[in-house]
Amino acid sequence: MPPAVKPDSLPSWHSQAPANTMILGEHSVVYGHPALACAVNQFVKITWHARADNALNIYSALGQHHTQIDAISLHPKLNFAVAALQAFQYQLPHGLDIHIESEFSSTIGLGSSAAVLAAMLSGLNTICQTKHELIALFTIGHKIIIDIQGRGSGTDLAASLSGGAIYFQPKNETHKHPVIKKITVELPIQLFYCGYKTPTAVVLQQVAEAWQNKPAELSMLYRAMAKTTRTGFEALQNNTFSDFYQACKKYQQLMTELGVNDSTLQTIIDLLTSCPSIDAAKISGSGLGDCVLAIGVLDNCSTETSNRLNNYQQISVNICEKGAFTLCDSNYQA
């Protein structure tokens, strides 16, 4: 049982984690290949207030949950937040009131669950004084993702924890530990939501079923994806952006070959690539819905193209260099 906290010394904290988006590496990263992703300047923010008892109260647009440190119960819409509390259950020094706010919609493909998890892990790491470094926090969070979803590379979590653009190499037979390497780069990013989303687990299952009689060909396709991702990473490191844009276009071709493109996504991509100021456009995420990522700006699109693109929910974002962090209230600046 954690020690009681005196009512006159109850501290507060503020946690913040950026949203994220995948750039290269969709699907192949699930099978141990590298990915490129980035944190973007939309945020999940959490305010924490210490309590003088053992109660844990979560307040969110998705719902409220009231539980206790010594018996943390589940909530169907707050599973990532609750799982983070469970991971730090025996280090919690006191009860907490936890207020979670998001600046962005969960429909627009910005990794909202991973951003919530990153902000929770950062806050709990500070409150519990566990002093976990980036890879250790990622490992805790990745286990939570696997426990809840059954699979997932954790690329989105890595980007929200780290900030900036990252090269992510998941743990595999060759790499005994995950690698998160930041890349210094500026990319104007536009995201377009097609209006519907197929859950990632469903997409992965459909891909597995479609390729079940062609395992060698599927393995070769994933290796081609990995090679394209590494080419894009090297291009960004060398500031050879034309090569990077070509890698993005190549990856889109591979996503189509995999079978996760559809007519709506292709329509958005065709509209974007008709704009002279868009350098590349591709699916961002698992496909069969969700988002298209465009690199560039929308200044020089034709009136017809602009009008058609306006039929889709869109957001313009910039890469956010700062990852998840937590400050005590006396040091916090919004």
Side-chain angles (χ1 to χ4, degrees):
M1 187 72 64
V5 179
K6 294 180 181 180
D8 60 354
S9 61
L10 296 177
S12 296
W13 300 265
H14 298 268
S15 298
Q16 182 170 300
N20 60 80
T21 191
M22 184 77 86
I23 300 174
L24 293 171
E26 292 92 346
H27 286 273
S28 60
V29 71
V30 177
Y31 299 96
H33 296 296
L36 294 180
C38 65
V40 298
N41 59 337
Q42 300 285 308
F43 301 95
V44 166
K45 297 180 179 181
I46 302 178
T47 302
W48 312 73
H49 297 290
R51 294 179 58 92
D53 56 22
N54 294 323
L56 296 171
N57 301 313
I58 304 174
Y59 303 92
S60 164
L62 296 178
Q64 297 184 14
H65 187 46
H66 306 284
T67 186
Q68 298 283 324
I69 290 178
D70 53 356
I72 300 175
S73 58
L74 304 179
H75 188 286
K77 294 184 178 180
L78 300 169
N79 47 9
F80 284 98
V82 170
L85 288 170
Q86 290 175 325
F88 285 82
Q89 180 175 10
Y90 300 110
Q91 289 79 41
L92 282 168
H94 44 66
L96 291 162
D97 289 331
I98 305 162
H99 298 261
I100 303 173
E101 297 181 346
S102 177
E103 293 182 345
F104 57 95
S105 167
S106 61
T107 65
I108 194 78
L110 287 175
S112 56
S113 296
V116 168
L117 181 54
M120 287 291 299
L121 293 173
S122 174
L124 290 165
N125 194 36
T126 298
I127 293 166
C128 297
Q129 300 183 36
T130 41
K131 299 181 181 179
H132 293 305
E133 299 292 339
L134 173 62
I135 294 298
L137 270 188
F138 170 80
T139 301
I140 294 169
H142 188 223
K143 182 180 184 302
I144 289 171
I145 292 170
I146 298 300
D147 289 344
I148 291 174
Q149 298 181 171
R151 64 170 70 192
S153 68
T155 310
D156 49 1
L157 175 63
S160 286
L161 284 172
S162 172
I166 63 164
Y167 175 86
F168 174 68
Q169 173 60 63
K171 180 180 177 181
N172 59 22
E173 293 180 357
T174 304
H175 298 84
K176 301 304 180 185
H177 303 282
V179 176
I180 303 171
K181 185 180 297 185
K182 290 188 72 168
I183 314 164
T184 302
V185 65
E186 293 184 10
L187 292 172
I189 296 171
Q190 321 294 327
L191 288 170
F192 288 79
Y193 177 57
C194 72
Y196 54 89
K197 180 176 182 177
T198 305
T200 299
V202 174
V203 178
L204 292 174
Q205 184 61 35
Q206 290 184 20
V207 169
E209 291 174 358
W211 291 81
Q212 61 183 339
N213 297 323
K214 299 181 287 184
E217 290 88 342
L218 180 59
S219 179
M220 186 178 300
L221 180 56
Y222 285 149
R223 289 197 297 272
M225 288 176 156
K227 181 180 179 180
T228 304
T229 298
R230 287 191 287 268
T231 297
F233 171 56
E234 292 168 2
L236 288 180
Q237 284 190 308
N238 297 326
N239 291 318
T240 53
F241 288 97
S242 59
D243 292 340
F244 170 69
Y245 303 143
Q246 286 303 314
C248 292
K249 295 172 183 176
K250 174 63 176 177
Y251 209 96
Q252 175 56 30
Q253 294 172 2
L254 295 171
M255 292 282 276
T256 299
E257 185 177 343
L258 186 65
V260 296
N261 196 7
D262 64 24
S263 59
T264 302
L265 294 172
Q266 189 59 52
T267 294
I268 297 172
I269 290 169
D270 290 342
L271 288 169
L272 288 166
T273 53
S274 72
C275 298
S277 51
I278 294 295
D279 298 298
K282 61 177 289 293
I283 295 169
S284 178
S286 56
L288 297 180
D290 208 359
C291 275
V292 170
L293 175 146
I295 300 170
V297 294
L298 297 169
D299 294 345
N300 299 320
C301 301
S302 69
T303 300
E304 179 186 358
T305 296
S306 296
N307 289 338
R308 292 181 65 187
L309 286 172
N310 285 337
N311 292 325
Y312 304 97
Q313 184 182 358
Q314 62 189 78
I315 184 171
S316 177
V317 292
N318 294 311
I319 294 176
C320 172
E321 288 300 324
K322 192 172 183 64
F325 69 94
T326 298
L327 295 173
C328 195
D329 56 354
S330 61
N331 299 319
Y332 179 70
Q333 290 184 342

